[in-house]
Amino acid sequence: FLLFAEHSSHGEPRSTDAPLPGGAKSGRRVKLIHVLNAYAIKGDNNDGPASPFDQLSTIKSIERARRLRPPDLEVDFVCAVFESDRQALSDLPCRKVILRRSTRSEYEFIQPSKELPFLQDIINAAIADEDRDADFFLMLTNSDIGLTKYFYKHLRPKLESREALSINRLTIPMTNITTKITNAAAFLAQVDSNLELGEKHPGYDCFIIHSSV
């Protein structure tokens, strides 16, 4: 399970960012559209589509972080999904938007013909018509990248006078994690207790971009 780094030596989020004009101003309510591509897979008994546990635990972590977000940050959580997965994912607590094309529809010569999304389509799906000319930040993460509970709280000050951020992740070692656990809340509690053991990862898993970009 992968968590965004919530603490540095000063208790701040780790991020690679640069002060730029045009970001969110202090004291003003800011809108953040957080999007990920949700998908369905077969259940353990191959008895129908299900959402994988790493994705469910990720979504539960986002739910929790949204509850603990600061009052001056609005978080619109969006799941970009294929029509074929819509029914299986109907219970997910996010605004679901249908992706209209995939690698299967566009590249029929690729075998096997797997249904994968295009990055630009995920971005476009997240932005509602009323937001096209609005002032907001777009945040893109993968479906297996969880949030620490105070992620949005620590993120809000980082949106001051910045147009873009890239936030790296912590990889939580599985030594003290029960791998067969199926309760997301219990799983996140285990992760919380092992945050200090998290290892910095050099990859890029969270991208935040202002609408002016």
Side-chain angles (χ1 to χ4, degrees):
F1 189 75
L2 306 174
L3 275 288
F4 291 130
E6 161 179 311
H7 302 291
S8 69
S9 58
H10 300 291
E12 295 274 324
R14 293 186 180 93
S15 62
T16 55
D17 51 33
L20 293 170
K25 304 305 180 185
S26 179
R28 184 171 61 85
R29 186 173 175 83
V30 175
K31 180 170 184 176
L32 176 73
I33 303 175
H34 181 178
V35 62
L36 57 78
N37 169 225
Y39 61 95
I41 61 172
K42 292 292 183 179
D44 292 339
N45 298 320
N46 204 35
D47 55 358
S51 185
F53 179 71
D54 56 352
Q55 179 174 256
L56 286 176
S57 59
T58 291
I59 289 172
K60 288 295 184 181
S61 77
I62 295 172
E63 271 193 292
R64 182 177 67 169
R66 287 181 74 196
R67 290 195 300 269
L68 298 171
R69 71 186 185 277
D72 61 348
L73 181 65
E74 174 188 352
V75 179
D76 179 14
F77 179 31
V78 180
C79 294
V81 303
F82 290 120
E83 179 65 43
S84 57
D85 290 338
R86 184 211 292 258
Q87 185 173 358
L89 303 177
S90 60
D91 292 335
L92 293 185
C94 51
R95 176 167 65 89
K96 285 168 282 294
V97 181
I98 302 301
L99 297 170
R100 300 299 178 185
R101 64 172 185 161
S102 70
T103 52
R104 178 183 297 170
S105 66
E106 301 301 304
Y107 301 113
E108 296 179 355
F109 60 88
I110 296 178
Q111 296 296 330
S113 182
K114 192 169 185 180
E115 195 172 32
L116 295 172
F118 293 95
L119 176 60
Q120 188 64 56
D121 291 352
I122 297 174
I123 293 173
N124 292 344
I127 305 171
D129 290 340
E130 60 268 24
D131 289 322
R132 294 291 169 182
D133 299 318
D135 179 8
F136 64 92
F137 285 88
L138 178 74
M139 174 171 158
L140 175 71
T141 61
N142 288 337
S143 61
D144 62 347
I145 299 296
L147 301 187
T148 50
K149 64 170 66 176
Y150 297 117
F151 177 87
Y152 293 127
K153 178 180 178 181
H154 286 286
L155 173 65
R156 176 59 183 90
K158 292 288 185 180
L159 301 180
E160 303 289 340
S161 301
R162 287 178 171 85
E163 290 181 334
L165 299 90
S166 174
I167 300 179
N168 291 34
R169 76 181 190 231
L170 283 178
T171 301
I172 308 301
M174 299 300 291
T175 308
N176 299 321
I177 304 292
T178 304
T179 57
K180 293 185 178 181
I181 194 169
T182 57
N183 181 285
F187 181 80
L188 291 175
Q190 290 189 24
V191 171
D192 290 342
S193 64
N194 285 276
L195 277 179
E196 293 184 358
L197 302 177
E199 300 174 354
K200 290 185 292 183
H201 191 278
Y204 301 98
D205 300 281
C206 172
F207 305 92
I208 303 172
I209 310 165
H210 189 259
S211 55
S212 61
V213 179

